[in-house]
Amino acid sequence: MPILVWSVATVWLFMIDACPAMPQFCREVTMDKHHELPPTARTPIWRTITKAAASGEFVLQVCQHCKAVQYPPRELCKECLHHELQWEKISPKGELISYTELNASTNAFFRTHLPLQIALVKLDCGPVLFAHMIHKPAKNGDRISIRSTRDLSGEGVFIAVHDDGDEKKQLRGLDSFLIQD
């Protein structure tokens, strides 16, 4: 079996090396077709986050049985598998676990907004979530607040705001893809 995996991987690498670059007209059609808006693909369960983001509220699901806060949104509690999950306003405070700077993207919209910082934040109430971030330098352990807002496609997104910085300045760094309320 390992020989088969190795040979398939080898063939794949040779195919990549042998393929010519994508013609310019194909690149324009396939990669730049939807560059004006961020991706809109979200699960139906995300709609509540988008609705709350329209009014600037930060909501997550809370299990009515064990009180565990859920992220990402789901149909059953991650702790007790109970189905009674209610959307509630949650404290947006947390701690920066790590962040990275993206310098490449397969999405045409995000390619025009590079580099992007993505933060991994552990909320004080338990869950860990990804959020856009615009603060340099940041260190693991820094205090972070999550802002819930909408991107240009109208979908809810989370923004990590450094507690020690100027919030308006940090948010201005993301103006190019957030709806201005």
Side-chain angles (χ1 to χ4, degrees):
M1 188 66 160
I3 294 172
L4 177 63
V5 172
W6 181 85
S7 64
V8 169
T10 303
V11 170
W12 182 74
L13 289 173
F14 284 122
M15 287 174 52
I16 289 174
D17 290 339
C19 289
M22 185 185 294
Q24 182 66 32
F25 71 89
C26 290
R27 189 175 3 215
E28 289 171 2
V29 170
T30 59
M31 295 184 167
D32 296 332
K33 186 176 179 182
H34 302 290
H35 70 280
E36 297 91 12
L37 294 176
T40 58
R42 305 289 197 286
T43 63
I45 205 163
W46 190 265
R47 288 185 195 132
T48 303
I49 290 176
T50 296
K51 185 177 177 182
S55 59
E57 294 178 347
F58 179 62
V59 298
L60 292 177
Q61 293 171 311
V62 177
C63 177
Q64 298 305 295
H65 188 255
C66 72
K67 302 300 180 198
V69 179
Q70 314 291 312
Y71 186 82
R74 59 192 77 226
E75 294 180 7
L76 298 174
C77 175
K78 66 180 179 175
E79 299 294 329
C80 70
L81 299 178
H82 202 268
H83 67 279
E84 265 188 81
L85 302 176
Q86 296 291 322
W87 292 94
E88 297 180 14
K89 291 182 186 177
I90 299 295
S91 169
K93 301 292 185 182
E95 180 178 303
L96 182 67
I97 294 176
S98 69
Y99 75 97
T100 189
E101 185 171 280
L102 300 179
N103 291 296
S105 176
T106 58
N107 181 275
F109 175 82
F110 288 124
R111 267 197 310 276
T112 62
H113 294 85
L114 294 174
L116 286 173
Q117 285 186 313
I118 303 295
L120 189 60
V121 178
K122 178 166 181 33
L123 296 175
D124 293 341
C125 61
V128 175
L129 58 81
F130 285 99
H132 294 282
M133 184 173 171
I134 189 77
H135 188 277
K136 288 183 182 177
K139 301 183 308 282
N140 296 352
D142 285 353
R143 294 299 297 167
I144 299 291
S145 292
I146 298 296
R147 297 293 176 258
S148 184
T149 187
R150 293 176 298 152
D151 63 17
L152 292 177
S153 67
E155 297 291 340
V157 293
F158 297 139
I159 309 296
V161 177
H162 200 278
D163 284 352
D164 292 341
D166 178 2
E167 181 176 330
K168 289 184 180 188
K169 182 179 179 183
Q170 292 177 61
L171 293 175
R172 261 194 313 273
L174 298 171
D175 280 352
S176 62
F177 66 89
L178 297 179
I179 290 178
Q180 304 304 311
D181 294 323

